[in-house]
Amino acid sequence: MKDKVSKNFFSVAILNVVITLAEFIGGFMSGSLALLSDAVHNLGDVGAIILSFVAHLVGKKKQNSNKTFGYKRAEIIAAFVNAFILLAMTVYLVIEAFERLNDEVTIDGELMLIIAIIGLIANFISMIVMHQHSKDNVNIKSVFLHMLSDALSSIGVIIAAILINVYHIMWVDAAITVIVSVVLAYEAIKILKNTLNILMESNPDIDLKAVEADLCQLELINAVHHVHIWQFSDAEIMLDAHINVNPEIKVEQLDNLYDEINQVLKQNFAISHVTIQVESARGLNEKIVPHGENEN
């Protein structure tokens, strides 16, 4: 584990294994569903961290003759799976919480409070460790989301433990579980949508008409058509397009034209991988959207 990200993955995984065991034991001993739900979240985190770590290592592999685009999509797949697991966990916990509302239970609020505080400290440490890498990597962001989910859950458990200790309100244990689960489900759905769009090679909200207008401002380009734009990974947006140029253009002029195209697309749209097919009259009257598809 030479790189810092790998070391952080390992440290966070060990920390979460320890706190998961503590919360499972504390949850059973105290009778707290909220504490057990936090333990389940942490258990999911351990799996998420391992999956994301493996994907991180795979994603670093260089491209080859079989995987000509490399292995960067491995991290997107891991993020999708992690978000789906988190969503499934929240649904299960909401069902369990509603069932608990109808049961009369006795909860050891003091033990619940102690374990929850320990869990909160561990989750904040994990969040701090992973935060610096989460801004530009959806895989690590999904792990950070797991850490955030458990931090929120721990805060909820602490609130519930205080209310149980002071006012003996047992139902707040289940209520806190529902509230936290709904918040987490919302965040998980956003990650699912983002990763699914990348896996489906969707256009990351780039205006095709704006691309056409900017490229047609270049002197040698008459028209742009048959355009495909998709997000390949967190940091890489790709474009494939056909351009119509003046018939009298010389081959040696194309290099400069390609440089100008790359510069415009990089600066204006953050497109980093460009494939251009040069044509004269072929497809000149085609729309920018490929094959006459709906532009919306």
Side-chain angles (χ1 to χ4, degrees):
M1 293 184 294
K2 295 181 179 180
D3 65 296
K4 187 175 181 180
V5 175
S6 298
K7 292 179 181 179
N8 289 348
F9 267 120
F10 182 77
S11 300
V12 169
I14 295 299
L15 184 60
N16 276 268
V17 168
V18 173
I19 195 59
T20 297
L21 292 175
E23 287 188 330
F24 268 120
I25 295 172
F28 283 116
M29 291 180 64
S30 67
S32 170
L33 176 62
L35 193 55
L36 285 174
S37 71
D38 203 20
V40 172
H41 277 141
N42 269 305
L43 181 61
D45 291 343
V46 174
I49 292 166
I50 294 173
L51 177 62
S52 296
F53 177 50
V54 172
H56 170 71
L57 295 179
V58 173
K60 291 172 59 180
K61 294 176 62 177
K62 294 183 179 180
Q63 63 191 63
N64 53 47
S65 59
N66 182 255
K67 299 290 188 298
T68 56
F69 278 109
Y71 294 80
K72 295 178 182 178
R73 281 283 175 89
E75 292 196 270
I76 305 301
I77 295 171
F80 177 83
V81 172
N82 282 338
F84 183 82
I85 291 173
L86 182 60
L87 183 61
M89 287 165 53
T90 58
V91 171
Y92 171 77
L93 290 171
V94 167
I95 295 173
E96 287 294 310
F98 276 110
E99 291 181 354
R100 174 64 73 91
L101 286 173
N102 298 322
D103 298 334
E104 293 185 4
V105 294
T106 301
I107 299 172
D108 185 344
E110 292 183 1
L111 178 59
M112 177 182 173
L113 180 60
I114 294 171
I115 299 297
I117 291 174
I118 295 174
L120 179 61
I121 294 172
N123 287 322
F124 268 123
I125 293 173
S126 298
M127 287 172 58
I128 292 171
V129 170
M130 301 305 294
H131 178 261
Q132 58 182 317
H133 306 290
S134 66
K135 295 180 180 179
D136 302 315
N137 187 304
V138 72
N139 179 37
I140 298 177
K141 185 176 182 180
S142 71
V143 175
F144 177 78
L145 180 58
H146 276 272
M147 302 297 103
L148 176 61
S149 73
D150 276 311
L152 291 174
S153 183
S154 294
I155 292 173
V157 174
I158 290 172
I159 295 172
I162 293 172
L163 292 175
I164 289 170
N165 276 324
V166 176
Y167 299 104
H168 305 288
I169 305 174
M170 301 299 170
W171 58 263
V172 74
D173 178 66
I176 290 293
T177 302
V178 173
I179 293 171
V180 172
S181 295
V182 170
V183 173
L184 300 181
Y186 174 76
E187 294 298 328
I189 289 172
K190 289 199 299 185
I191 293 288
L192 278 174
K193 182 179 178 181
N194 184 28
T195 53
L196 185 60
N197 279 336
I198 293 176
L199 293 173
M200 290 295 293
E201 299 187 343
S202 301
N203 177 356
D205 296 324
I206 292 178
D207 186 350
L208 297 182
K209 290 296 185 181
V211 172
E212 178 184 29
D214 286 2
L215 290 181
C216 285
Q217 287 182 358
L218 298 178
E219 183 179 356
L220 298 176
I221 297 180
N222 295 327
V224 180
H225 62 279
H226 204 86
V227 175
H228 298 273
I229 298 178
W230 69 101
Q231 187 155 4
F232 178 74
S233 64
D234 291 312
E236 193 166 9
I237 300 174
M238 298 184 172
L239 175 142
D240 175 272
H242 295 196
I243 61 171
N244 296 101
V245 299
N246 298 328
E248 63 272 13
I249 188 173
K250 298 179 180 179
V251 175
E252 55 265 25
Q253 292 178 275
L254 288 178
D255 284 342
N256 289 333
L257 178 59
Y258 290 147
D259 289 339
E260 291 176 353
I261 291 173
N262 285 329
Q263 184 176 5
V264 167
L265 294 176
K266 181 69 174 179
Q267 290 182 352
N268 297 356
F269 306 100
I271 297 173
S272 56
H273 185 103
V274 179
T275 302
I276 296 294
Q277 179 171 317
V278 177
E279 298 169 339
S280 177
R282 183 172 178 263
L284 184 60
N285 296 319
E286 285 188 19
K287 294 182 179 180
I288 187 170
V289 178
H291 306 303
E293 297 170 0
N294 193 326
E295 295 183 19
N296 296 323

